[in-house]
Amino acid sequence: MEPVIIVGAGPVGLALSLALAAQDVPSVVLDEGPGTDEPRPARTVVLRADMAALIERLGCATVRDEGMRWIGWRAMRRARQTRHVPLDLGLGTVLAGEEGLPGDAAGPAAPLHIPQHALTRGLRDAAARHDLVTLVPGSRVDIIEQDEHGVSAHTRGPDGSWWRGTHLVGCDGARSIVRKLLGVRFPGRTAVERHAVAALRTELPWAGEALLHRRPPWRDAGEEIAARPLPDGVWRIDWLLPSRGELVTPDALVGRIRDTLAGWCEGTTPPYELIDTGVYTVHHRLARRWRVDRVLLAGDAAHLLGAVGTQGVDEGMRDVDNLAWKLALVWHRPDTSETLLDSYQSERRAAVASLLRAADQALPILRGGGGLRGYLPGGGRGHDVLLTDGHLGRGPLGALPAYPHSPLAPEPSEGRIPVGTPDGAPVDDVRVSAPDGTTVRLRDRLGRGRLIVLLVAPGTGVWDRRHWVSAGVMPQLAEAVEALPAPAELLVTDGYPGAPAHAVLLVRPDGHLAAAFSGVLPEELHAAADAVRGGVLDAETADDDAADDEDHESHADAEAEADDEAGHKGRRTKARRKARAKDREDVAADAT
């Protein structure tokens, strides 16, 4: 029962340990720090609605107690409001639509805003309560070795220890030791943006709403100011700084605060309590490789982003959502092919690369270097729309990731049909009937390591499940689901956007649509499910692996005695040479 080793106990590492535990996979979290987090109210995280729901499913109580969902988003340019977007709190309330939408349309889903230390504390408390998660503070990794059977990690210190696991995931941040030990390159751009930040308690005219103010009219205001509310009357305010400007002194920051509050409150600075301040620099980087055999990277260890509305921690949680079910399936089913874990890199790296490309293309336009396009009529409004979409998780800067070209995508077949959700995109959070007869949101059934087979059956929403569970196509579909090559759950919905009656949707454990069928087609459903799990090793490879396992067990003790330090060094050197050769191949492929 070897665990998965997770290096790093930030939000991403802790969330991964809990996501694995939810699928009965043990993990050891090696934390370089002391196991506590310094409160920094000025350092906050914005999570889109689906990732906030993921964190809550993992047992993190602070997202409810210490986070805040905005009720609206405002955009201002100079002294004029250019955009107001009401947000849907997900409580069943229908809000008025923004300009250009029907008046009864619900707004975009409200993101969650929470201090990062509160998020980390909530995840750490949840992990400490779980029997399958072992937290090890004061453990800095300095050696990683892997073979065909697992990974070994050494932590240094007076009582340095060796840890053994099936896989290792580096969630240890921008200066990742795991990434450096693997020899993986981390190219990108430095100092894309700089911001001064303050967390303060005060009253602003837009209670519960976030604000993005471009080119404020008062003197020395700078290019852009953002204000985001937190609970208890606290606001985080960001001032965009010149990329290579002077240091921000405390007096200069207090001056910015007073001028900004006066500018927003009709010339009078309201009373305020300054809680925390800081200056942070945004970098854009993307690791060349996210997987080296049994070692993987996630979160800031794999990517850095955050300019013009993109959200780094939110993308790190999407890494967790994508990786956890794949790693759990491999842990439970060693005969799963390499395609499954390979798909983590191909899907997530492509999605983050798309966001980075969009940000790189937008920055020259949004930050004053857009040439003639900056003088075209309506250009400022287009910029506001682009930035708003980035902050709210829409458009090229913030759209939810889709994996239409994934290695796990099922082959086309005659029974496939299009629905309102494109293949590979996240499914809509419709109401479904659960096996126990209760009505829940589809999102509530995700994250359990199971495929979801969703039958669209109009009218079932008004009938008790026991009346239709054995009628119509249900018995045949239940039998088909039982025969799938991976664990699956059968759910029923009264309707799904763009789907006809009796359509069957196959949904991945992370909530992305794999395929939709025009009815109950057991063979096509089976083939699609097999593709989603990456298939299995071919018979010859599986036999060879079984023989290797048997030989490994019978000679384990002898190998342990013969394996001296020289052998360790030889394997590490060979692994580094192999990684460098692979990096050269990746660089050539990227250039092509």
Side-chain angles (χ1 to χ4, degrees):
M1 295 291 291
E2 291 182 341
V4 171
I5 301 173
I6 299 172
V7 180
V12 174
L14 292 169
L16 179 59
S17 71
L18 289 167
L20 291 173
Q23 299 169 62
D24 299 321
V25 177
S27 63
V28 171
V29 182
L30 302 180
D31 182 4
E32 182 179 344
T36 58
D37 303 284
E38 177 187 1
R40 289 296 311 273
R43 188 180 185 188
T44 63
V45 171
V46 177
L47 297 172
R48 285 172 280 185
D50 58 338
M51 290 299 99
L54 166 68
I55 298 301
E56 193 164 356
R57 288 199 305 270
L58 296 178
C60 178
T62 53
V63 295
R64 297 188 307 271
D65 302 335
E66 301 180 47
M68 182 171 186
R69 296 181 189 272
W70 309 328
I71 63 172
W73 174 272
R74 293 179 183 268
M76 297 183 65
R77 187 177 179 85
R78 300 192 185 279
R80 184 172 62 89
Q81 179 176 295
T82 60
R83 196 170 179 82
H84 179 229
V85 184
L87 300 176
D88 183 1
L89 297 178
L91 303 177
T93 303
V94 177
L95 301 174
E98 58 181 302
E99 183 179 349
L101 293 178
D104 60 350
L112 176 83
H113 190 208
I114 184 172
Q116 183 164 323
H117 68 267
L119 174 64
T120 305
R121 174 168 34 82
L123 289 168
R124 191 187 304 276
D125 290 345
R129 294 191 299 266
H130 212 295
D131 294 338
L132 291 177
V133 180
T134 302
L135 301 175
V136 188
S139 300
R140 180 180 175 85
V141 173
D142 59 357
I143 298 174
I144 295 175
E145 298 177 350
Q146 55 180 318
D147 51 49
E148 63 270 27
H149 303 289
V151 183
S152 297
H154 182 266
T155 55
R156 70 182 178 188
D159 300 318
S161 303
W162 281 97
W163 301 86
R164 182 71 176 176
T166 61
H167 296 80
L168 184 145
V169 185
C171 305
D172 48 342
R175 296 181 175 86
S176 171
I177 295 297
V178 173
R179 188 185 64 243
K180 293 174 182 178
L181 290 174
L182 293 176
V184 173
R185 294 181 59 201
F186 199 37
R189 297 175 57 194
T190 300
V192 178
E193 287 186 347
R194 278 201 322 144
H195 294 260
V197 186
L200 51 90
R201 184 175 285 107
T202 189
E203 290 188 15
L204 293 180
W206 317 281
E209 295 188 336
L211 170 73
L212 182 67
H213 198 162
R214 304 192 70 223
R215 300 185 180 180
W218 53 90
R219 183 179 178 183
D220 298 328
E223 180 69 20
E224 184 177 293
I225 307 174
R228 302 177 178 92
L230 287 162
D232 301 324
V234 176
W235 292 80
R236 166 177 164 162
I237 303 180
D238 292 55
W239 293 267
L240 179 66
L241 301 172
S243 59
R244 300 187 183 279
E246 297 180 357
L247 295 177
V248 180
T249 64
D251 290 342
L253 185 54
V254 170
R256 284 180 179 270
I257 293 172
R258 295 181 62 84
D259 291 345
T260 299
L261 296 183
W264 286 340
C265 300
E266 300 180 352
T268 302
T269 302
Y272 69 91
E273 176 190 357
L274 185 58
I275 301 173
D276 189 24
T277 63
V279 175
Y280 75 92
T281 303
V282 175
H283 308 285
H284 278 180
R285 296 188 177 276
L286 185 65
R288 289 287 187 188
R289 303 174 67 191
W290 291 26
R291 181 192 178 197
V292 179
D293 298 327
R294 290 176 175 267
V295 182
L296 305 103
L297 301 175
D300 285 353
H303 51 76
L304 292 177
L305 68 166
V308 291
T310 54
Q311 300 295 334
V313 174
D314 185 272
E315 291 301 322
M317 293 302 171
R318 294 182 192 280
D319 297 343
V320 170
D321 203 23
N322 187 286
L323 177 60
W325 70 272
K326 298 174 180 178
L327 203 52
L329 188 55
V330 170
W331 193 89
H332 288 293
R333 293 284 302 273
D335 62 337
T336 303
S337 76
E338 295 294 309
T339 303
L340 187 61
L341 284 185
D342 284 343
S343 72
Y344 165 67
Q345 172 176 296
S346 62
E347 290 177 355
R348 289 300 304 145
R349 190 176 187 276
V352 175
S354 178
L355 289 177
L356 290 173
R357 282 194 298 270
D360 282 344
Q361 292 167 0
L363 277 167
I365 301 172
L366 295 172
R367 299 308 184 221
L372 291 177
R373 276 181 287 185
Y375 297 94
L376 294 176
R381 180 178 174 83
H383 298 172
D384 294 338
V385 171
L386 182 63
L387 280 169
T388 293
D389 285 350
H391 283 278
L392 296 181
R394 306 185 301 182
L397 291 174
L400 298 181
Y403 313 124
H405 306 298
S406 167
L408 307 182
E411 293 292 330
S413 62
E414 292 183 1
R416 294 276 292 276
I417 59 172
V419 295
T421 301
D423 290 348
V427 293
D428 283 26
D429 189 26
V430 297
R431 292 193 175 277
V432 298
S433 175
D436 61 2
T438 59
T439 300
V440 297
R441 308 296 303 195
L442 177 56
R443 188 178 287 159
D444 296 335
R445 311 304 293 183
L446 302 177
R448 306 184 183 196
R450 296 193 294 260
L451 301 174
I452 291 177
V453 177
L454 181 63
L455 172 66
V456 180
T460 53
V462 299
W463 294 98
D464 192 284
R465 183 182 178 97
R466 68 177 182 271
H467 295 308
W468 49 259
V469 72
S470 60
V473 300
M474 279 296 292
Q476 182 186 6
L477 183 56
E479 184 179 350
V481 170
E482 188 69 25
L484 292 180
E489 180 178 36
L490 175 57
L491 302 174
V492 179
T493 184
D494 196 57
Y496 188 90
H502 303 141
V504 175
L505 280 62
L506 179 64
V507 182
R508 301 182 354 168
D510 57 0
H512 288 253
L513 179 65
F517 303 94
S518 58
V520 181
L521 304 171
E523 292 185 2
E524 293 189 21
L525 185 62
H526 189 284
D530 193 50
V532 169
R533 67 161 182 158
V536 296
L537 297 173
D538 58 75
E540 182 178 351
T541 304
D543 290 342
D544 290 344
D545 284 353
D548 289 343
D549 289 341
E550 185 177 343
D551 181 69
H552 173 74
E553 292 174 1
S554 61
H555 295 87
D557 292 340
E559 288 177 355
E561 294 175 1
D563 192 13
D564 56 13
E565 182 61 23
H568 282 294
K569 292 181 178 178
R571 283 197 301 276
R572 289 199 296 271
T573 302
K574 183 177 180 180
R576 291 192 183 103
R577 288 174 179 169
K578 182 179 178 181
R580 292 191 186 103
K582 179 62 177 173
D583 276 345
R584 287 193 292 271
E585 294 175 6
D586 289 343
V587 171
D590 286 349
T592 302

